[in-house]
Amino acid sequence: MYVTLFNEFAPATIVSVPSRQQNGAAGSPSRKSQGAGAHLFREGDAAASIYEIVSGVFRLTRVLGNGRRQVIAFGFPGDTIGFPKGACHHTDCEAITAAEVIVHRRNALDTVDGDHETHQRLLNAALREISAMQDHFMMLARKSAKEKMASFLVTLAERNGTPIGGYTSCSLPMSRADIADFLGLTVETVSRTLTRLRKENMIALENPQTVLIRDMRALISASQVSE
């Protein structure tokens, strides 16, 4: 998940593996369960597989040259993760909740044979990732703390929000430190900005892991770059 919505290409969709493929026959996708806190892959690992998320949330990170961590993205159901840089993964990928993925072996995708629908879905996922990453870089460079946080919450609502009357309830499975490292802010600024949005009556904080969006229109407006 990035902080801008995926509008350019086909939207992410949750997929399933037919029962005849779940035994992991050669060349066919298989399912893999992942416990919270476990790494699906690490930076530098050989990228033998690509993963479609069925359930749970993943955090993709890199450690910068100065030792600081950068959260690159959060993976939600319907997202595809594990696109490599050459032959290796270029990020760490850790489950932050219990999760399940569909595993696609890269060597089975490198030929023109196989499931055309799967090839097209993964191609669309790669195009979404490139487009969203470009938007994310622009956000880091141009948006204020309030604009960044509002953008993050709007996108979170799009991905995992639950309508409650005229409001939208969103789970925050990631920590405040995760959000800070994703948005290029400090933990203190994240907490201060959430408090500001709450005082402006755009959101309510039901608990540390749940935010209630009370005024989506105002939140979308707050997410736009001020001229």
Side-chain angles (χ1 to χ4, degrees):
M1 185 197 88
Y2 301 86
V3 295
T4 48
L5 303 183
F6 297 144
N7 293 322
E8 293 88 344
F9 306 102
T13 55
I14 300 174
V15 298
S16 61
V17 175
S19 58
R20 63 182 175 84
Q21 295 181 335
Q22 290 183 8
N23 292 328
S28 66
S30 60
R31 286 180 179 265
K32 176 181 174 65
S33 296
Q34 196 79 8
H39 279 80
L40 186 60
F41 53 81
R42 295 180 183 271
E43 184 177 0
D45 285 351
S49 301
I50 296 172
Y51 308 90
E52 291 185 277
I53 302 173
V54 176
S55 63
V57 182
F58 288 85
R59 179 181 59 227
L60 283 78
T61 62
R62 293 190 70 182
V63 177
L64 306 179
N66 59 7
R68 294 186 60 183
R69 184 187 72 160
Q70 176 68 50
V71 175
I72 304 299
F74 297 104
F76 282 83
D79 287 338
T80 301
I81 54 179
F83 290 110
K85 179 182 180 181
C88 298
H89 289 297
H90 59 94
T91 66
D92 289 346
C93 180
E94 181 182 357
I96 56 178
T97 68
E100 185 177 21
V101 297
I102 295 172
V103 183
H104 297 275
R105 301 292 297 180
R106 285 188 65 197
N107 57 11
L109 299 171
D110 287 341
T111 69
V112 296
D113 300 326
D115 183 359
H116 173 74
E117 181 182 346
T118 297
H119 280 248
Q120 189 62 49
R121 190 171 64 248
L122 295 178
L123 174 61
N124 286 334
L127 293 173
R128 284 197 306 270
E129 179 173 317
I130 293 169
S131 177
M133 184 67 78
Q134 291 171 341
D135 289 340
H136 185 57
F137 289 153
M138 182 173 294
M139 179 278 303
L140 290 175
R142 295 194 58 192
K143 289 193 173 186
S144 67
K146 180 180 178 180
E147 291 162 353
K148 290 177 181 180
M149 183 58 63
S151 295
F152 179 77
L153 293 176
V154 168
T155 304
L156 194 68
E158 176 74 11
R159 298 307 309 275
N160 76 351
T162 301
I164 300 179
Y167 302 151
T168 302
S169 178
C170 299
S171 171
L172 287 173
M174 63 288 293
S175 69
R176 298 294 191 266
D178 290 338
I179 298 172
D181 288 347
F182 180 62
L183 298 179
L185 304 172
T186 65
V187 175
E188 292 76 13
T189 300
V190 167
S191 297
R192 190 163 55 245
T193 306
L194 285 171
T195 298
R196 179 180 176 184
L197 294 174
R198 178 182 59 79
K199 289 182 176 178
E200 294 178 6
N201 209 35
M202 296 184 204
I203 66 170
L205 299 173
E206 298 185 327
N207 57 61
Q209 279 71 50
T210 307
V211 60
L212 185 70
I213 298 177
R214 305 185 65 176
D215 190 339
M216 180 63 77
R217 182 174 298 180
L219 194 65
I220 292 172
S221 178
S223 72
Q224 305 303 312
V225 176
S226 301
E227 298 297 337

PDB file of all heavy atoms in Angstrom, residues 7-21:
ATOM      1  N   ASN A   7      -5.309   4.251  -9.508  1.00  0.00           N
ATOM      2  CA  ASN A   7      -6.344   4.587 -10.486  1.00  0.00           C
ATOM      3  C   ASN A   7      -5.950   4.234 -11.913  1.00  0.00           C
ATOM      4  O   ASN A   7      -6.793   4.073 -12.776  1.00  0.00           O
ATOM      5  CB  ASN A   7      -6.634   6.101 -10.427  1.00  0.00           C
ATOM      6  CG  ASN A   7      -7.285   6.500  -9.121  1.00  0.00           C
ATOM      7  OD1 ASN A   7      -8.101   5.765  -8.599  1.00  0.00           O
ATOM      8  ND2 ASN A   7      -6.919   7.656  -8.606  1.00  0.00           N
ATOM      9  N   GLU A   8      -4.629   4.129 -12.181  1.00  0.00           N
ATOM     10  CA  GLU A   8      -4.175   4.029 -13.551  1.00  0.00           C
ATOM     11  C   GLU A   8      -4.411   2.664 -14.172  1.00  0.00           C
ATOM     12  O   GLU A   8      -4.599   2.536 -15.367  1.00  0.00           O
ATOM     13  CB  GLU A   8      -2.672   4.358 -13.636  1.00  0.00           C
ATOM     14  CG  GLU A   8      -2.354   5.808 -13.310  1.00  0.00           C
ATOM     15  CD  GLU A   8      -2.128   6.025 -11.825  1.00  0.00           C
ATOM     16  OE1 GLU A   8      -2.510   5.135 -11.042  1.00  0.00           O
ATOM     17  OE2 GLU A   8      -1.579   7.066 -11.456  1.00  0.00           O
ATOM     18  N   PHE A   9      -4.359   1.605 -13.360  1.00  0.00           N
ATOM     19  CA  PHE A   9      -4.424   0.264 -13.890  1.00  0.00           C
ATOM     20  C   PHE A   9      -5.497  -0.516 -13.163  1.00  0.00           C
ATOM     21  O   PHE A   9      -6.155  -0.017 -12.263  1.00  0.00           O
ATOM     22  CB  PHE A   9      -3.059  -0.417 -13.749  1.00  0.00           C
ATOM     23  CG  PHE A   9      -1.948   0.388 -14.350  1.00  0.00           C
ATOM     24  CD1 PHE A   9      -1.090   1.132 -13.552  1.00  0.00           C
ATOM     25  CD2 PHE A   9      -1.773   0.428 -15.723  1.00  0.00           C
ATOM     26  CE1 PHE A   9      -0.080   1.894 -14.114  1.00  0.00           C
ATOM     27  CE2 PHE A   9      -0.756   1.186 -16.287  1.00  0.00           C
ATOM     28  CZ  PHE A   9       0.082   1.921 -15.477  1.00  0.00           C
ATOM     29  N   ALA A  10      -5.688  -1.763 -13.586  1.00  0.00           N
ATOM     30  CA  ALA A  10      -6.717  -2.601 -12.965  1.00  0.00           C
ATOM     31  C   ALA A  10      -6.497  -2.658 -11.460  1.00  0.00           C
ATOM     32  O   ALA A  10      -5.376  -2.810 -10.987  1.00  0.00           O
ATOM     33  CB  ALA A  10      -6.661  -4.006 -13.561  1.00  0.00           C
ATOM     34  N   PRO A  11      -7.561  -2.522 -10.649  1.00  0.00           N
ATOM     35  CA  PRO A  11      -7.405  -2.497  -9.199  1.00  0.00           C
ATOM     36  C   PRO A  11      -6.971  -3.848  -8.653  1.00  0.00           C
ATOM     37  O   PRO A  11      -7.186  -4.889  -9.262  1.00  0.00           O
ATOM     38  CB  PRO A  11      -8.819  -2.131  -8.705  1.00  0.00           C
ATOM     39  CG  PRO A  11      -9.718  -2.615  -9.789  1.00  0.00           C
ATOM     40  CD  PRO A  11      -8.960  -2.408 -11.067  1.00  0.00           C
ATOM     41  N   ALA A  12      -6.336  -3.814  -7.476  1.00  0.00           N
ATOM     42  CA  ALA A  12      -5.941  -5.053  -6.823  1.00  0.00           C
ATOM     43  C   ALA A  12      -7.179  -5.847  -6.453  1.00  0.00           C
ATOM     44  O   ALA A  12      -8.169  -5.304  -5.966  1.00  0.00           O
ATOM     45  CB  ALA A  12      -5.128  -4.729  -5.562  1.00  0.00           C
ATOM     46  N   THR A  13      -7.134  -7.147  -6.696  1.00  0.00           N
ATOM     47  CA  THR A  13      -8.244  -8.020  -6.361  1.00  0.00           C
ATOM     48  C   THR A  13      -7.723  -9.225  -5.619  1.00  0.00           C
ATOM     49  O   THR A  13      -6.636  -9.731  -5.905  1.00  0.00           O
ATOM     50  CB  THR A  13      -8.993  -8.494  -7.613  1.00  0.00           C
ATOM     51  OG1 THR A  13      -8.058  -9.115  -8.505  1.00  0.00           O
ATOM     52  CG2 THR A  13      -9.662  -7.338  -8.325  1.00  0.00           C
ATOM     53  N   ILE A  14      -8.490  -9.689  -4.640  1.00  0.00           N
ATOM     54  CA  ILE A  14      -8.108 -10.869  -3.882  1.00  0.00           C
ATOM     55  C   ILE A  14      -8.367 -12.094  -4.740  1.00  0.00           C
ATOM     56  O   ILE A  14      -9.434 -12.254  -5.314  1.00  0.00           O
ATOM     57  CB  ILE A  14      -8.892 -10.949  -2.559  1.00  0.00           C
ATOM     58  CG1 ILE A  14      -8.598  -9.703  -1.717  1.00  0.00           C
ATOM     59  CG2 ILE A  14      -8.540 -12.202  -1.796  1.00  0.00           C
ATOM     60  CD1 ILE A  14      -9.417  -9.606  -0.459  1.00  0.00           C
ATOM     61  N   VAL A  15      -7.375 -12.962  -4.838  1.00  0.00           N
ATOM     62  CA  VAL A  15      -7.475 -14.125  -5.705  1.00  0.00           C
ATOM     63  C   VAL A  15      -7.434 -15.395  -4.864  1.00  0.00           C
ATOM     64  O   VAL A  15      -7.074 -15.385  -3.699  1.00  0.00           O
ATOM     65  CB  VAL A  15      -6.329 -14.146  -6.738  1.00  0.00           C
ATOM     66  CG1 VAL A  15      -6.405 -12.943  -7.637  1.00  0.00           C
ATOM     67  CG2 VAL A  15      -4.972 -14.221  -6.053  1.00  0.00           C
ATOM     68  N   SER A  16      -7.805 -16.495  -5.469  1.00  0.00           N
ATOM     69  CA  SER A  16      -7.753 -17.781  -4.799  1.00  0.00           C
ATOM     70  C   SER A  16      -7.144 -18.802  -5.734  1.00  0.00           C
ATOM     71  O   SER A  16      -7.196 -18.657  -6.953  1.00  0.00           O
ATOM     72  CB  SER A  16      -9.159 -18.235  -4.375  1.00  0.00           C
ATOM     73  OG  SER A  16      -9.983 -18.374  -5.511  1.00  0.00           O
ATOM     74  N   VAL A  17      -6.561 -19.829  -5.139  1.00  0.00           N
ATOM     75  CA  VAL A  17      -5.980 -20.909  -5.914  1.00  0.00           C
ATOM     76  C   VAL A  17      -6.979 -22.048  -5.982  1.00  0.00           C
ATOM     77  O   VAL A  17      -7.512 -22.480  -4.959  1.00  0.00           O
ATOM     78  CB  VAL A  17      -4.680 -21.416  -5.247  1.00  0.00           C
ATOM     79  CG1 VAL A  17      -4.146 -22.624  -5.988  1.00  0.00           C
ATOM     80  CG2 VAL A  17      -3.644 -20.324  -5.237  1.00  0.00           C
ATOM     81  N   PRO A  18      -7.336 -22.553  -7.180  1.00  0.00           N
ATOM     82  CA  PRO A  18      -8.235 -23.684  -7.269  1.00  0.00           C
ATOM     83  C   PRO A  18      -7.724 -24.855  -6.443  1.00  0.00           C
ATOM     84  O   PRO A  18      -6.519 -25.050  -6.287  1.00  0.00           O
ATOM     85  CB  PRO A  18      -8.226 -24.019  -8.778  1.00  0.00           C
ATOM     86  CG  PRO A  18      -7.833 -22.737  -9.439  1.00  0.00           C
ATOM     87  CD  PRO A  18      -6.890 -22.075  -8.487  1.00  0.00           C
ATOM     88  N   SER A  19      -8.642 -25.653  -5.917  1.00  0.00           N
ATOM     89  CA  SER A  19      -8.273 -26.737  -5.015  1.00  0.00           C
ATOM     90  C   SER A  19      -7.306 -27.712  -5.654  1.00  0.00           C
ATOM     91  O   SER A  19      -6.442 -28.274  -4.998  1.00  0.00           O
ATOM     92  CB  SER A  19      -9.529 -27.485  -4.549  1.00  0.00           C
ATOM     93  OG  SER A  19     -10.248 -27.983  -5.659  1.00  0.00           O
ATOM     94  N   ARG A  20      -7.376 -27.911  -6.952  1.00  0.00           N
ATOM     95  CA  ARG A  20      -6.486 -28.867  -7.603  1.00  0.00           C
ATOM     96  C   ARG A  20      -5.042 -28.380  -7.628  1.00  0.00           C
ATOM     97  O   ARG A  20      -4.111 -29.135  -7.876  1.00  0.00           O
ATOM     98  CB  ARG A  20      -6.953 -29.125  -9.043  1.00  0.00           C
ATOM     99  CG  ARG A  20      -6.905 -27.889  -9.932  1.00  0.00           C
ATOM    100  CD  ARG A  20      -7.418 -28.203 -11.329  1.00  0.00           C
ATOM    101  NE  ARG A  20      -7.492 -27.025 -12.169  1.00  0.00           N
ATOM    102  CZ  ARG A  20      -6.456 -26.539 -12.840  1.00  0.00           C
ATOM    103  NH1 ARG A  20      -5.289 -27.137 -12.764  1.00  0.00           N
ATOM    104  NH2 ARG A  20      -6.605 -25.456 -13.590  1.00  0.00           N
ATOM    105  N   GLN A  21      -4.819 -27.065  -7.329  1.00  0.00           N
ATOM    106  CA  GLN A  21      -3.471 -26.522  -7.342  1.00  0.00           C
ATOM    107  C   GLN A  21      -2.874 -26.366  -5.957  1.00  0.00           C
ATOM    108  O   GLN A  21      -1.709 -26.049  -5.806  1.00  0.00           O
ATOM    109  CB  GLN A  21      -3.440 -25.152  -8.035  1.00  0.00           C
ATOM    110  CG  GLN A  21      -3.785 -25.214  -9.516  1.00  0.00           C
ATOM    111  CD  GLN A  21      -3.715 -23.842 -10.164  1.00  0.00           C
ATOM    112  OE1 GLN A  21      -3.863 -22.833  -9.504  1.00  0.00           O
ATOM    113  NE2 GLN A  21      -3.486 -23.822 -11.459  1.00  0.00           N
TER     114      GLN A  21
END
